[in-house]
């Protein structure tokens, strides 16, 4: 006598291609959000530079930039410094 099980069949495992596609969509979404935040940072930086220059100061505050570089390095390691330098470069001179 053959006994048949009434237990449901296990769910098929998700393919690697499907998992990769989902993760890439997540990365694309994150990249879009990062770009929007960088643009927002650029606008805020331009406001600060404009106010500083109107008040007779310099457009760039090197002490502040060093603080930013240090924070990124502490949080993200050496590559964080490069990322911070890129952000600072994007945000300079837009006044």
């Amino acid at each position: 006598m053959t006994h048949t099980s009434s237990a449901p069949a296990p769910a098929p495992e998700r393919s690697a291609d499907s998992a990769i596609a989902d993760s890439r969509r997540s990365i694309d979404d994150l990249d879009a959000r990062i770009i929007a935040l960088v643009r927002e940072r650029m606008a805020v930086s331009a406001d600060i530079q404009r106010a500083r220059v109107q008040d007779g100061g310099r457009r760039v505050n090197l002490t502040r930039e060093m603080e930013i570089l240090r924070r990124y390095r502490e949080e993200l390691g050496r590559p964080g410094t490069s990322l911070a330098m890129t952000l600072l470069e994007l945000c300079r001179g837009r006044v």
Side-chain angles (χ1 to χ4, degrees):
M1 177 173 198
T2 306
H3 183 265
T4 57
S5 172
S6 62
E13 291 188 32
R14 220 167 79 164
S15 74
D17 288 342
S18 175
I20 290 169
D22 288 347
S23 293
R24 285 183 175 160
R25 280 189 289 278
S26 293
I27 286 175
D28 290 345
D29 179 57
L30 289 166
D31 285 343
R33 290 164 44 196
I34 291 167
I35 290 167
L37 287 170
V38 169
R39 287 187 173 144
E40 183 179 347
R41 189 189 195 287
M42 291 168 67
V44 171
S45 181
D47 291 342
I48 292 168
Q49 291 175 55
R50 198 171 5 265
R52 196 180 303 124
V53 168
Q54 287 174 354
D55 198 37
R58 298 182 62 195
R59 185 176 52 82
V60 176
N61 181 331
L62 296 179
T63 301
R64 174 67 176 149
E65 288 193 358
M66 293 306 294
E67 292 171 5
I68 292 166
L69 290 169
R70 183 176 50 253
R71 182 176 348 133
Y72 274 75
R73 183 184 66 246
E74 288 172 358
E75 293 293 328
L76 302 172
R78 192 169 168 198
T81 304
S82 297
L83 177 59
M85 284 299 299
T86 299
L87 284 170
L88 291 169
E89 184 179 338
L90 282 166
C91 293
R92 283 189 205 127
R94 302 284 179 172
V95 177

